[in-house]
């Protein structure tokens, strides 16, 4: 079951037909010959498997009665996918761990349906890599992720065309797939992935909007970006009636001591970058305390949009 707390959907995001492709800063995708592996060969990070601790939360915005955001935490292995509790911990030993946030758009319940369908599809597609590896093939994870997202994109558009009720349905996606060797990231839209490491906090993903490009180039400041009416005009989403989607995918090295956050734009509406950095820097022994602090600030400062996050630590 896809996690979602019902109270109300995101205002429909505007989608621009132009495309925005960007690599995730400050990393470059792993060279192609480094991306292939047999699942759960000896980890290259350390002699012992990493322990992951996480806390996830979601609530609807004040503008509506339903929540269009969805999140998912699951383990993936040869036997398939197993959904995990929203607050828990697990060793990365026999199975991979996958975390994802999706922010839906569309009238009625179309937004939630889109975001939940995307995440549900991933629970079937990602475990297939283990079966492929067991047959002696070594899939390229980045190519695989990109192909899977394009497949889901077409499925969402087909669903939207089946009824006026679902017309225009689509969703963002930010996914973090942890294997013993790498973190594989897939991203489309303006949900985000942050990394906090060695006292520094960085946004790993790029928002797929022209306003975010202007912010990144220094043409506008954070205040101007946050108040721009064009901030929600997205160049890439899954579905939304677009003929194609071009997600960002990357392989990123991670290490013990890292802290990550995946979130929908509801967090960004109520939290400035300095607030995110401060929260991720504190309560280092508790992901739930960090998640609660960010949710509380985001809702108190804004709270109009659906708000979802996952905070996870690598130990």
């Amino acid at each position: 079951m896809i996690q979602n707390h019902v109270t109300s959907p995101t205002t429909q995001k505007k989608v621009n037909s132009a495309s925005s492709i960007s690599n995730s800063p400050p990393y470059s995708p792993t060279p192609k010959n480094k991306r292939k592996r047999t699942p759960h060969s000896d980890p290259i990070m350390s002699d012992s498997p990493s322990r992951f601790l996480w806390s996830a939360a979601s609530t609807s915005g004040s503008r509506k009665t339903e929540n269009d955001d969805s999140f998912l935490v699951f383990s993936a292995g040869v036997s398939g996918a197993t959904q995990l509790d929203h607050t828990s911990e697990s060793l990365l030993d026999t199975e991979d761990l996958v975390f994802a946030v999706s922010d839906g758009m569309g009238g009625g319940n179309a937004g939630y349906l889109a975001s939940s369908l995307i995440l549900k599809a991933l629970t079937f597609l990602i475990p297939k890599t283990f079966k492929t590896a067991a047959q002696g093939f070594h899939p390229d994870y980045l190519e695989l992720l990109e192909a899977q997202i394009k497949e889901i994109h077409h499925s969402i558009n087909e669903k939207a065309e089946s009824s006026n009720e679902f017309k225009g349905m689509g969703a963002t996606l930010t996914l973090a797939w942890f294997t013993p060797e790498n973190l594989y990231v897939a991203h489309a839209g303006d949900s985000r992935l942050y990394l906090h490491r060695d006292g520094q906090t960085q946004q790993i993903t790029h928002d797929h909007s022209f306003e975010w490009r202007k912010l990144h180039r220094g043409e506008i400041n954070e205040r101007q970006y946050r108040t721009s009416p064009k901030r929600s005009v997205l160049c890439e989403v899954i579905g939304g009636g677009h003929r194609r989607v071009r997600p960002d995918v990357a392989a990123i090295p991670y290490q013990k001591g890292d802290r990550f956050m995946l979130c929908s734009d509801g967090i960004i509406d109520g939290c400035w970058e300095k607030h995110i950095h401060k929260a991720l820097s504190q309560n280092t022994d508790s992901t739930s305390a960090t998640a609660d602090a960010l949710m509380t600030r985001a809702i108190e400062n804004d709270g109009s949009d659906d708000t979802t996050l996952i905070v996870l630590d690598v130990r």
Side-chain angles (χ1 to χ4, degrees), residues 10-50:
T10 314
T11 53
Q12 292 187 9
K13 293 180 183 292
K14 299 177 182 178
V15 183
N16 192 292
S17 60
S19 167
S20 173
I21 302 297
S22 55
N23 291 326
S24 301
Y27 305 101
S28 297
T30 303
K32 191 162 185 173
N33 63 351
K34 297 292 186 180
R35 298 180 195 157
K36 300 177 181 180
R37 71 173 179 94
T38 301
H40 299 286
S41 55
D42 293 335
I44 61 174
M45 286 178 48
S46 67
D47 293 333
S48 60
S50 297

Side-chain angles (χ1 to χ4, degrees), residues 13 40 42 76 88 104 160 197-198 205 236 240 265 290 295 298 301:
K13 293 180 183 292
H40 299 286
D42 293 335
S88 190
R197 175 187 291 171
D198 297 331
T205 54
E236 296 288 346
D265 62 347
T290 300
M295 288 290 288
N301 288 354

